[in-house]
Structures are given as structure tokens and as C-alpha cells.
Amino acid sequence: MATAPIVTIDGPSGSGKGTVSRAVARFASWHRLDSGALYRLVAIAGQDRGLAPDDVKRHAQAALTMEVSFLEEAQEDERVLLEGRDVTAELRSESAGAGASRVAAWPEVRQALLERQQSFARPPGLVADGRDMGTVVFPQAELKIFLTASPEERALRRYKQLKDKGSGVSLAALSREIAERDARDSTRAVAPLKAAPDAHVIDSTGLAIEEVVGRVLALGRSRSLWP
Ligand code: DC
């Protein structure tokens, strides 16, 4: 399987794992896997193919066959193509997130995405973020981080992000959505959101992103993953 060192960063929605993993990948000049994007892409591909929202089999098929390119990985302005179509903006929408959380509860879809995710492990190394990177997809990872933050802080972060993009979404609606998504992601039967026993838990509530990145870099340094 993997011939490259792997760092996994798991955590709930809005915990900052995307920003942190991007910063760590950039520091180390490693590849990055945004596994949440793959689940979002399955939901979008399902819509594009006109699938019924509860058609598990065809969504799993889409997970296996969809053609995806991540352009300029580890860049702030990375673009994502699905079957050649630029879906970058659609991917970050709350509706794609909700769709992703739904299809992610189906074991068939998770299984279909497993090898695709593992194929991202290439030299010189991989930073993978998601919900089950350290528990299921890369249990052999050299360093596992579980990033949390209070639900209030996570809702506020998402709110600011979306507001910056000109979205008119309300904080109350986002808080509700985050609570629902947390509940669904943590209670599903397959690969629920939980820290691997050997993960370092970092609570980022009240911490600046640079502090969190600094802690992860220090942990990696102590394992000689980078200078
Ligand atoms: O991290 P995100 O918000 O882009 O993830 C979207 C959804 O995908 C999230 O609600 C749960 C699911 N997901 C998952 O089940 N396993 C992963 N490794 C990543 C995401």
C-alpha cells in the first residue's frame, strides 16, 4: 500500500482541518487529500446523473467511476473538476455538504472511495484530512491528529467564511446545520467520526490557526517527518 509518510487530520465540520492540512502540506511540500471533497463530489455527481437521492447502488457506482481532477493541490485557490466541469464553488456550498453527509453514511459509497483515497499516498508524503483518515483509510499513518473546537466556534468560523464569499446564510441556521451534521457523522454505523486511539487531540477553540499549525509541525518534527 502506502510507500509515503502520512499525516492524518480528522475532525468535525468547521474544526479548521482543511486550513491546517493545507498549511502543513504546503510547509512540507507534500500531497494533500481533502477526503470530504470526494464525498461532496459523489453527491454532486449523483445530481448530475439525475440519481434518486436514496439510490445507494448508483451513487456507489458514481463514486467508483467519476472522473475527478484536483488542480494546484495545496494552493489556496485550488480548483476541482468533475467530468471536466469546474465545480469548485458548488463543492463548498452547504447543499453539497449536506448531500455529502448523507451519501457518506452508506457503506457501499465509503467502500467505493477507499482505494481512490489510498491512491493519494505518494512520495514525498501525504496530508489527508477528513473524518476517518486515521481510523479506517490510513490506520498506519505516522502522525494522527484529531482536531476539535466547540460547536459555537465552528458555526462562527463557517459563518465568517461564507459571509466573505457573499452568502446571506444566518448564524442560527448554520449552528443548526452543524449540530445535525455532527449528529449524523458521529452516530452512523460505518466509520463514525471519532479519534483514533493513537491520535493527538487538539482543541482549537480560542487558538489562532497559526498556533494549531505550529503544534502539528512540532509533532511532525519530533517524529522526523520534516526538518
Ligand atoms: O469535511 P467536509 O465538510 O467537506 O465533509 C463533508 C461530509 O463528508 C461530512 O459531513 C462527512 C463526510 N465525510 C466522511 O464521512 N468521511 C470523510 N473522510 C470526509 C468527509
Side-chain angles (χ1 to χ4, degrees), residues 61-182:
Q61 185 77 21
L64 274 180
T65 58
M66 64 184 184
E67 198 185 299
V68 177
S69 337
F70 291 94
L71 305 178
E72 299 178 72
E73 62 176 27
Q75 295 298 310
E76 206 65 68
D77 54 355
E78 96 183 349
R79 290 193 308 126
V80 184
L81 306 185
L82 175 62
E83 316 288 358
R85 182 168 74 88
D86 189 329
V87 293
T88 314
E90 201 176 335
L91 200 63
R92 296 272 67 101
S93 71
E94 286 304 294
S95 91
S101 174
R102 207 165 28 78
V103 302
W106 299 331
E108 294 86 342
V109 167
R110 304 200 73 84
Q111 185 59 37
L113 285 181
L114 193 59
E115 278 186 28
R116 196 189 271 263
Q117 295 176 93
Q118 289 168 340
S119 73
F120 279 75
R122 288 187 306 261
L126 176 71
V127 183
D129 77 79
R131 304 293 190 290
D132 62 343
M133 297 296 97
T135 49
V136 176
V137 181
F138 301 112
Q140 80 283 20
E142 274 72 11
L143 173 62
K144 300 180 185 180
I145 307 291
F146 192 82
L147 202 53
T148 61
S150 70
E152 297 75 23
E153 177 138 341
R154 291 189 282 122
L156 199 61
R157 286 180 190 166
R158 267 284 147 95
Y159 177 69
K160 285 184 185 154
Q161 251 176 15
L162 291 170
K163 219 172 93 184
D164 287 348
K165 288 185 185 151
S167 159
V169 69
S170 81
L171 181 58
L174 266 180
S175 302
R176 259 197 318 274
E177 232 252 292
I178 283 204
E180 277 169 24
R181 186 118 53 102
D182 278 0

Side-chain angles (χ1 to χ4, degrees), residues 10-17 20 146-158 178-179 182 193 201-209 212:
D10 288 306
S13 159
S15 58
K17 57 188 191 306
V20 173
F146 192 82
L147 202 53
T148 61
S150 70
E152 297 75 23
E153 177 138 341
R154 291 189 282 122
L156 199 61
R157 286 180 190 166
R158 267 284 147 95
I178 283 204
D182 278 0
L193 171 66
V201 179
I202 301 179
D203 184 345
S204 71
T205 311
L207 290 185
I209 207 79
V212 180

